[in-house]
Amino acid sequence: MLTVRKQVAIYVDRSTGQWIVRDHEGNYWTLPPTDHPWADRQPFFPAEETELEPVPGHYKYMLGLPN
């Protein structure tokens, strides 16, 4: 049996400059500028006109994201 593991993906919303994360389950989250962004995350629902720019994965440690 083959197990496929999705990676956490980091984006920036170009219109707001907000950090956006897609988790392992495909859910999107807005990360606030706090000491613990992942713990303080809020659901994000991209609109059709939302432009998410991918961000390199090495920012995971800075945002406290799960692996």
Side-chain angles (χ1 to χ4, degrees), residues 8 19 21 23 29-43 60-66:
V8 170
W19 291 102
V21 174
D23 66 15
W29 302 94
T30 299
L31 302 184
T34 64
D35 289 339
H36 306 285
W38 183 247
D40 299 333
R41 69 192 181 273
Q42 296 292 316
K60 283 183 185 180
Y61 81 92
M62 185 178 85
L63 299 169
L65 299 178

Side-chain angles (χ1 to χ4, degrees), residues 10-15 18-20 50-56:
I10 308 168
Y11 303 92
V12 170
D13 182 343
R14 296 192 86 185
S15 65
Q18 189 77 30
W19 291 102
I20 306 295
T50 301
E51 291 186 50
L52 297 180
E53 182 175 326
V55 174

